[in-house]
């Protein structure tokens, strides 16, 4: 089914004479395109050309007059509100879809066990179906779609996905779980075909592009399991196709509005699958910006029109994007209303809003902090950890020969522990008990924090911290009687004091503790201490107060008990309680907090034996083992089609070589391409080359464990550029002269031989994509073309 075909509009407005109007609209579009080509030729070409006036305007006016005459004709009705959706089948797109569908869905329920990252995404899907909160660094759309498909067939989420290779039980609908990724993978080939047609490539080369998507083993493998990349690629590719159609549509027509909305929705859906979908958004912005830039020389369009159109374009895409992004998280929060294993990543207030969450632990605890309160202080944003101390002290000297205070260590510990408890004390009071009359702590008050187990007070001084020398050390003060007095005073600053009328509350109040003597704020630094600090996280005092790592909140709270204060405690506990019902947070509060956590929660994955670096990807130096059969060497291993990957890499080099050659020649006033061909060469190449670089280069600057599948979005653009280069070579050969037919025949013979190699490699290595063929040790070693390919042999 084709809604994104070669030159067909997916949405049109028609009157009762559809054939006549379609013909005239086509003529008008042709006239507009010719006028823009003429204008672009003068602006973009290096050839000197005289300024022509009147000709394009006359044509434009003529087309406009024809349109007016048609509308005012007596037998035509006003159809402004009569919108017809036209869907047309296209043999190429249907054929590519069916072929892709067959390759992706062939024996899709094999293996009947957990494959690679299905261990993670499968758990997330199960938690959706059990309405249990989970935390993931990527947005939820991909998991939501899979959960929707699994829930539609009655799956309850009972399977635990314990480890890679674990056999699925009968309750798991394997086909439903893998259906959405496989469907998206099947749709990618016809979309790539349509993108190539949209940039005016020939039908044959466009079909070749779709076939290369189908015949790449890495794309095949990733489309067959509960993984995210096939959905990411589908939405990104559809968004690129939509924006190419959007910039070519008649401004402010129904089709223009629909395509603009589709562009925003599709590109944002890619972001909602994985944040790296934002790179496709950047490519779309480049396409729109390039189109606006090429419109600027057209003096027939006023400044107001050009600026207004650009603003409306941006607003249309942004509104659609916001609707999709917010809607995705609205559904996410609506489904996950129960506490789960990941909710401790969130703030205490967020946890308390979940059914069975922190509220069930803290209910009945005092709400307001006062002198004598026993509290645990949780780091609010980023890593989950609690302010902690223990009897161990800082070493006398660090590894870099810097000296320390040798005071008691203060750290941030990622688990609940008795050493996380502190007592809030007024400096002028000697006891640590609650008074007969409550002595509540408010914004701006100065307090001391006494460690509950060791009874030493929180301290800071002008001594460099162990891992962050630009910050101050934080310790629990020990009086060594060596003229180092304790600096034990901390000022309470409530960041959301308006909500509690400047009263310090447990759970909800976000507090910054500022050291009175040095004006440095208590801060989680993010650095991990060595063995002497038990590999816990460093806490420092930083004069740069206004960072999110200086924000803490009280999670658990109780009053210091004393046998003589029972009546006071009973009175307090009956009047100042944390609500027994779950805390109510608005959607916007939850949304903001989750976005911050997703962006800041940067747990670094440990080094993985199948991880790889970006410079290894273009030539596929390393794959990834996904699954292996326990009874044979049958296995699933992520490897791309070596012929496609190498030739596509060569295609990038070839395009850049052509571009440099043409630019130098044009600088010498030697024009090998006519203006239309030159503009076409730049348009497609710039888009696809820009798409490749935008999706590839950022990984060189990421400090995280990376895998070969991170390269798949860049691979798609690399394949598009390869097809563009093949088409350009054919065009160049046709224009080469009298022997062009012979040279073209030779070129096509080489192309046919190369494509046979693509087919051969796909067929030979499909055993590693499907995992259905039992392999001997010799078979596996025969597939190992590179020493860096870690194929698994565990059976003789």
């Amino acid at each position: 089914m084709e809604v994104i075909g070669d030159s067909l509009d997916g949405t049109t407005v028609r009157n009762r004479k559809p054939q006549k109007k379609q013909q005239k609209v086509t003529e008008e579009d042709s006239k507009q395109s010719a006028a823009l080509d003429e204008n672009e030729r003068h602006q973009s070409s290096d050839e000197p050309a005289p300024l022509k006036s009147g000709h394009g305007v006359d044509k434009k006016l003529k087309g406009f007059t024809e349109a007016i005459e048609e509308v005012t004709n007596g037998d035509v009705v006003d159809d402004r509100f009569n919108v017809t959706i036209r869907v047309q089948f296209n043999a190429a797109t249907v054929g590519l879809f069916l072929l892709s569908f067959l390759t992706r869905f062939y024996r899709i329920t094999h293996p009947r066990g957990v494959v690679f990252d299905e261990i993670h995404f499968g758990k997330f899907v199960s938690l959706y179906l059990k309405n249990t909160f989970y935390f993931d660094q990527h947005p939820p759309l991909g998991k939501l779609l899979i959960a929707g498909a699994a829930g539609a067939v009655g799956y309850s989420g009972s399977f635990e996905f314990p480890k890679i290779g674990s056999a699925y039980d009968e309750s798991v609908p394997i086909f439903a779980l893998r259906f959405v990724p496989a469907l998206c993978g099947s749709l990618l080939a016809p979309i790539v075909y349509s993108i190539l047609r949209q940039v005016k490539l020939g039908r044959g080369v466009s079909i070749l592009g779709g076939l290369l998507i189908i015949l790449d083993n890495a794309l095949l493998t990733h489309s067959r399991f509960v993984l995210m990349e096939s959905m990411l690629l589908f939405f990104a590719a559809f968004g690129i196709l939509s924006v190419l159609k959007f910039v070519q549509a008649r401004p402010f027509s129904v089709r223009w509005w629909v395509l603009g909305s589709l562009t925003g929705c599709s590109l944002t859906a890619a972001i909602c699958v994985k944040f790296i979908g934002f790179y496709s958004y950047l490519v779309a912005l480049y396409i729109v910006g390039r189109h606006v830039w090429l419109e600027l020389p057209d003096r027939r369009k006023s400044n107001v029109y050009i600026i207004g159109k650009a603003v409306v374009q941006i607003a249309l895409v942004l509104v659609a994007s916001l609707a999709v992004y917010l809607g995705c998280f609205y559904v996410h929060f609506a489904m996950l209303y129960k506490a789960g294993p990941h909710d401790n990543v969130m703030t205490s207030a967020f946890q308390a809003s979940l059914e069975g969450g922190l509220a069930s632990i803290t209910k009945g605890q005092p709400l307001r902090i006062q002198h004598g309160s026993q509290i645990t202080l949780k780091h609010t944003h980023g890593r989950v950890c609690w302010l902690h101390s223990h009897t161990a002290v800082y070493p006398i000297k660090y590894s870099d020969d810097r000296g320390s205070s040798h005071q008691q260590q203060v750290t941030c510990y990622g688990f609940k522990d008795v050493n996380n408890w502190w007592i809030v004390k007024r400096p002028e009071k000697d006891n640590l008990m609650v008074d007969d009359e409550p002595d509540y702590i408010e914004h701006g008050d100065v307090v001391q924090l006494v460690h509950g187990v060791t009874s030493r007070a929180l301290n800071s001084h002008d001594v460099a911290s162990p891992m962050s020398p630009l910050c101050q050390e934080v310790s629990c003060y020990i009086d060594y009687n060596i003229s180092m007095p304790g600096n034990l005073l901390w000022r309470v600053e409530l960041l959301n004091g308006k909500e509690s009328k400047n009263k310090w509350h447990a759970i909800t109040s976000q507090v910054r503790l500022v050291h009175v003597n040095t004006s440095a704020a208590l801060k989680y630094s993010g650095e991990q201490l060595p063995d002497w600090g038990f590999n816990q996280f460093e806490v420092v005092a930083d004069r740069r107060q206004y960072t999110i790592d200086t924000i803490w909140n009280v999670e658990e709270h109780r009053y210091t008990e004393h046998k003589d204060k029972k009546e006071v405690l009973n009175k307090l506990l009956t009047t100042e309680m944390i609500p027994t019902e779950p805390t109510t947070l608005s959607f916007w509060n939850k949304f903001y907090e989750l976005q911050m956590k997703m962006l800041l929660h940067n747990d670094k994955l440990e080094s993985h034996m199948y991880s790889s670096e970006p410079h290894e990807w273009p030539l596929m130096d390393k794959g990834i083992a996904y699954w292996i059969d326990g009874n044979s060497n049958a296995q699933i291993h992520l490897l791309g089609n070596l012929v496609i990957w190498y030739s596509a890499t060569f295609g990038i080099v070839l395009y850049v070589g052509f571009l440099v050659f043409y630019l130098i020649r044009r600088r010498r006033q030697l024009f090998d391409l006519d203006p239309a061909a030159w503009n076409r060469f730049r348009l497609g190449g710039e888009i696809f080359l820009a798409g490749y670089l935008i999706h590839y280069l950022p990984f060189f600057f990421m400090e995280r464990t990376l895998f070969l599948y991170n390269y798949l979005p860049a691979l798609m653009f690399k394949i598009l550029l390869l097809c563009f280069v093949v088409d350009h070579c054919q065009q160049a050969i046709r224009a080469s002269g009298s022997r062009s037919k012979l040279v073209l025949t030779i070129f096509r013979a080489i192309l046919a031989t190369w494509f046979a190699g693509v087919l051969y490699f796909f067929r030979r290595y499909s055993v590693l994509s499907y995992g259905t063929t039992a392999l001997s040790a010799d078979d596996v070693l025969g597939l190992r073309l590179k020493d860096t390919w870690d194929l698994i042999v565990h059976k003789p």
Side-chain angles (χ1 to χ4, degrees):
M1 189 172 73
E2 166 72 11
V3 285
I4 47 176
D6 307 346
S7 58
L8 300 173
D9 299 346
T11 306
T12 59
V13 179
R14 301 191 297 180
N15 56 28
R16 294 179 180 177
K17 294 185 176 182
Q19 295 180 348
K20 180 178 178 181
K21 183 172 182 180
Q22 180 62 33
Q23 180 180 0
K24 292 197 174 186
V25 169
T26 303
E27 292 172 358
E28 174 64 16
D29 289 343
S30 300
K31 292 168 185 176
Q32 292 182 15
S33 177
L36 288 177
D37 287 345
E38 181 75 15
N39 179 71
E40 184 177 340
R41 182 161 61 246
H42 293 315
Q43 177 65 18
S44 304
S45 174
D46 295 330
E47 298 178 72
L51 180 63
K52 297 181 180 180
S53 62
H55 179 64
V57 178
D58 292 341
K59 293 173 66 178
K60 194 80 173 179
L61 290 174
K62 182 180 178 182
F64 179 74
T65 303
E66 290 178 354
I68 293 295
E69 289 177 352
E70 182 179 6
V71 172
T72 57
N73 197 343
D75 59 350
V76 178
V77 297
D78 185 355
D79 64 344
R80 286 173 296 176
F81 303 103
N82 181 17
V83 179
T84 302
I85 305 297
R86 186 181 62 202
V87 178
Q88 183 163 343
F89 290 94
N90 178 283
T93 52
V94 171
L96 288 170
F97 171 74
L98 291 177
L99 182 59
S100 187
F101 185 90
L102 290 174
T103 59
R104 270 61 182 167
F105 279 87
Y106 171 71
R107 298 193 64 178
I108 195 173
T109 58
H110 179 85
R112 299 189 62 84
V114 180
V115 176
F116 193 55
D117 276 350
E118 285 188 340
I119 191 174
H120 302 301
F121 299 125
K123 286 179 180 177
F124 296 151
V125 168
S126 293
L127 290 172
Y128 268 124
L129 297 173
K130 293 187 290 187
N131 305 114
T132 303
F133 182 83
Y134 74 87
F135 176 79
D136 185 25
Q137 286 181 278
H138 290 290
L141 180 59
K143 284 86 72 176
L144 273 171
L145 293 174
I146 297 173
V153 296
Y155 177 52
S156 63
S158 58
F159 190 73
E160 296 295 331
F161 295 85
K163 63 180 181 179
I164 297 175
S166 298
Y168 288 123
D169 58 38
E170 295 301 322
S171 69
V172 180
I174 304 175
F175 180 85
L177 284 172
R178 295 173 178 172
F179 174 80
V180 174
L183 179 63
C184 290
S186 303
L187 291 168
L188 184 60
I191 293 176
V192 164
Y193 164 84
S194 298
I195 291 174
L196 293 171
R197 292 292 288 162
Q198 196 64 33
V199 295
K200 311 306 180 186
L201 264 62
R203 189 180 300 275
V205 174
S206 300
I207 292 174
L208 174 65
L211 290 174
L212 294 181
I213 295 294
I214 294 172
L215 298 175
D216 183 73
N217 301 72
L219 294 175
L220 169 65
T221 303
H222 242 267
S223 299
R224 290 175 46 80
F225 306 107
V226 187
L227 305 171
M228 298 293 108
E229 267 62 31
S230 63
M231 289 179 281
L232 168 68
L233 290 173
F234 165 72
F235 287 121
F238 191 79
I240 296 300
L241 175 62
S242 298
V243 76
L244 288 172
K245 289 176 170 287
F246 177 48
V247 297
Q248 295 177 20
R250 182 166 57 87
F252 307 109
S253 64
V254 173
R255 182 171 183 263
W256 187 84
W257 290 103
V258 170
L259 289 171
S261 301
L262 278 177
T263 296
C265 293
S266 301
L267 294 171
T268 308
I271 298 174
C272 289
V273 174
K274 276 193 170 184
F275 273 130
I276 60 172
F278 180 68
Y279 299 147
S280 301
Y281 214 101
L282 294 179
V283 177
L285 290 177
Y286 169 78
I287 294 171
V288 173
R290 186 185 189 281
H291 179 73
V292 173
W293 180 258
L294 293 177
E295 272 192 320
L296 292 179
D298 190 352
R299 299 298 296 274
R300 295 166 298 174
K301 298 175 181 177
S302 67
N303 294 339
V304 173
Y305 173 83
I306 292 177
I307 295 173
K309 177 186 170 186
V311 169
V312 173
Q313 283 179 316
I314 294 172
L316 175 60
V317 173
L318 286 180
V319 168
S321 298
L322 286 173
V324 171
Y325 197 76
L326 293 174
C328 181
F329 280 94
Y330 185 86
V331 175
H332 178 71
F333 291 133
M335 292 190 66
L336 304 181
Y337 56 84
K338 296 180 181 178
H342 300 134
D343 60 4
N344 64 354
V345 174
M346 310 305 292
T347 62
S348 302
F350 192 105
Q351 293 180 64
S353 71
L354 299 173
E355 182 181 303
L358 191 63
S360 64
I361 300 172
T362 60
K363 66 182 179 181
Q365 293 185 1
L367 177 65
R368 291 180 59 179
I369 311 301
Q370 69 156 312
H371 170 81
S373 288
Q374 296 181 17
I375 63 174
T376 61
L377 279 169
K378 182 181 179 182
H379 179 234
T380 302
H381 298 296
R383 174 172 286 278
V384 177
C385 60
W386 289 263
L387 187 67
H388 177 94
S389 187
H390 39 238
T391 56
V393 296
Y394 291 111
I396 297 176
K397 282 193 174 183
Y398 300 123
S399 58
D400 58 1
D401 288 333
R402 286 187 298 113
S404 79
S405 66
H406 202 48
Q407 299 275 323
Q408 180 173 306
Q409 296 174 17
V410 172
T411 66
C412 205
Y413 188 46
F415 301 92
K416 295 192 176 184
D417 186 87
V418 67
N419 282 311
N420 297 347
W421 285 90
W422 301 80
I423 303 174
V424 179
K425 177 182 178 298
R426 290 282 192 186
E428 64 274 10
K429 295 185 177 181
D430 294 329
N431 67 71
L432 298 176
M433 308 301 168
V434 294
D435 296 328
D436 292 337
E437 293 297 327
D439 186 4
Y440 295 125
I441 309 298
E442 300 184 3
H443 174 76
D445 287 355
V446 174
V447 300
Q448 293 175 337
L449 290 177
V450 179
H451 188 239
V453 174
T454 63
S455 297
R456 294 194 171 108
L458 189 70
N459 174 72
S460 186
H461 40 221
D462 194 15
V463 175
S465 56
M467 309 303 293
S468 307
L470 297 179
C471 299
Q472 295 173 189
E473 177 189 270
V474 173
S475 64
C476 278
Y477 180 70
I478 302 174
D479 187 1
Y480 287 122
N481 198 23
I482 54 173
S483 302
M484 183 181 283
N487 298 320
L488 312 177
L489 303 180
W490 300 84
R491 185 172 62 256
V492 174
E493 294 185 356
L494 300 179
L495 305 185
N496 56 345
K498 291 182 178 180
E499 299 174 9
S500 60
K501 298 182 179 179
N502 284 333
K503 312 297 184 183
W504 189 5
H505 286 180
I507 305 294
T508 57
S509 291
Q510 295 185 4
V511 61
R512 180 178 289 123
L513 296 170
V514 179
H515 191 237
V516 172
N517 298 76
T518 61
S519 297
L522 187 71
K523 176 183 176 181
Y524 158 79
S525 73
E527 299 293 334
Q528 193 166 14
L529 298 171
D531 291 341
W532 56 256
F534 308 99
N535 301 116
Q536 295 172 15
F537 288 90
E538 181 188 44
V539 171
V540 301
D542 193 345
R543 285 184 170 86
R544 297 169 296 178
Q545 300 178 10
Y546 303 106
T547 70
I548 59 174
D549 285 323
T550 62
I551 301 174
W552 305 80
N553 69 272
V554 173
E555 184 170 271
E556 295 182 74
H557 178 213
R558 61 192 180 213
Y559 289 135
T560 306
E561 296 183 7
H562 191 282
K563 61 182 180 181
D564 296 330
K565 303 287 185 179
K566 283 185 178 180
E567 292 183 5
V568 175
L569 285 173
N570 288 334
K571 179 181 178 181
L572 291 170
L573 291 173
T574 55
T575 58
E576 292 286 344
M577 302 287 240
I578 291 177
T580 57
E581 298 297 325
T583 303
T584 301
L585 287 183
S586 69
F587 165 76
W588 296 108
N589 288 335
K590 288 185 175 183
F591 176 78
Y592 174 76
E593 180 176 333
L594 186 57
Q595 299 309 301
M596 296 296 293
K597 291 291 184 181
M598 291 164 68
L599 293 173
L600 299 173
H601 191 85
N602 56 350
D603 282 347
K604 295 181 180 178
L605 295 175
E606 296 181 2
S607 181
H608 195 283
M609 66 178 296
Y610 289 104
S611 64
S612 53
E613 296 298 322
H615 69 270
E616 299 177 294
W617 297 341
L619 300 182
M620 203 169 57
D621 289 336
K622 198 170 185 180
I624 310 173
Y626 275 15
W627 173 86
I628 187 165
D629 189 6
N631 300 318
S632 72
N633 291 316
Q635 59 190 281
I636 296 172
H637 200 97
L638 184 70
L639 287 173
N641 191 312
L642 200 67
V643 179
I644 296 176
W645 286 49
Y646 273 58
S647 55
T649 301
F650 178 69
I652 294 174
V653 175
L654 198 57
Y655 177 80
V656 173
F658 275 136
L659 183 61
V660 172
F661 171 77
Y662 289 141
L663 288 174
I664 293 174
R665 294 269 293 174
R666 295 175 79 82
R667 194 65 179 168
R668 296 289 297 167
Q669 299 297 307
L670 299 170
F671 302 99
D672 301 286
L673 301 177
D674 60 67
W678 169 242
N679 290 331
R680 179 172 170 273
F681 175 79
R682 287 194 310 155
L683 169 65
E686 284 178 6
I687 293 172
F688 299 147
L689 182 60
Y692 174 76
L693 296 177
I694 289 172
H695 283 82
Y696 179 47
L697 295 182
F699 288 103
F700 284 94
F701 306 98
M702 292 185 182
E703 296 183 0
R704 51 179 287 236
T705 305
L706 299 171
F707 297 90
L708 183 64
Y709 61 74
N710 294 124
Y711 188 62
L712 295 182
L715 173 67
M716 180 181 71
F717 284 93
K718 190 163 74 166
I719 290 174
L720 289 166
L721 185 60
L722 173 63
C723 295
F724 191 84
V725 170
V726 169
D727 184 78
H728 179 71
C729 289
Q730 288 191 128
Q731 298 295 331
I733 292 172
R734 287 193 183 100
S736 61
S738 58
R739 296 187 178 181
S740 61
K741 290 185 178 180
L742 176 61
V743 176
L744 188 61
T745 301
I746 296 173
F747 176 77
R748 288 177 174 172
I750 295 172
L751 207 60
T753 304
W754 164 79
F755 188 72
V758 170
L759 289 171
Y760 170 78
F761 193 97
F762 173 79
R763 183 178 180 277
R764 177 169 171 77
Y765 283 84
S766 62
V767 295
L768 300 180
S769 297
Y770 292 111
T772 56
T773 304
L775 302 172
S776 66
D778 291 337
D779 292 333
V780 176
L781 294 176
L783 294 171
R784 193 165 175 257
L785 296 183
K786 289 189 171 188
D787 293 337
T788 52
W789 289 4
D790 297 326
L791 302 180
I792 298 175
V793 177
H794 73 162
K795 295 290 182 180

